[in-house]
Every structure is written in structure tokens, then in C-alpha cells.
Amino acid sequence: YIESADGFPTYGFAVAEDTGGAIKGNRIDLFYNSRREAYNFGRRNVTVYVLEDWDNVRIREREREDA
């Protein structure tokens, strides 16, 4: 789970699918569907939470959306 450290709207749930060599050190590369979305988020500090049981997290998220 990724949230912005400066109060900007949170990125939310994400899956680490690309662990290529271009990103080094204490950095993370976030995917957005459009260039505009990526530029709007920009470069910023984020807090990353590693969730071990991803399937249960998605189930709870869907239950919240249905409520």
C-alpha cells in the first residue's frame, strides 16, 4: 500500500511487478495509466507498506466498495 507523505491523494494498493535495474536505492517507480496522471503526482516522498496476504486485502477492499 502506498500513501503520499505530504497529504497528496494516496496512490493506494499496488503490486511490485517491475524490479528492473533502473531504480536504485530508496526509490520506487509508480505506474499511472496516463502521462498526465504521472505528472500530476510528480516526484514526492511516499510511505510504502508491504502487505503479505494480498488476496485478503483485495477481498476486504471489494467488500468496502460493495457496502
Side-chain angles (χ1 to χ4, degrees):
Y1 188 82
I2 301 170
E3 67 182 10
S4 178
D6 64 359
F8 191 84
T10 297
Y11 185 84
F13 293 100
V15 176
E17 293 188 19
D18 178 5
T19 58
I23 303 298
K24 302 272 188 219
N26 194 16
R27 296 178 183 268
I28 186 169
D29 186 13
L30 301 177
F31 172 81
Y32 279 94
N33 289 318
S34 72
R35 181 174 286 182
R36 174 170 288 218
E37 287 178 298
Y39 281 133
N40 282 343
F41 192 83
R43 292 182 181 179
R44 61 185 65 242
N45 292 324
V46 296
T47 302
V48 176
Y49 298 92
V50 178
L51 307 175
E52 294 187 28
D53 194 346
W54 181 246
D55 287 330
N56 284 336
V57 170
R58 288 190 295 182
I59 290 168
R60 286 194 306 271
E61 184 180 67
R62 279 191 225 124
E63 289 172 349
R64 272 188 253 133
E65 289 173 357
D66 291 342

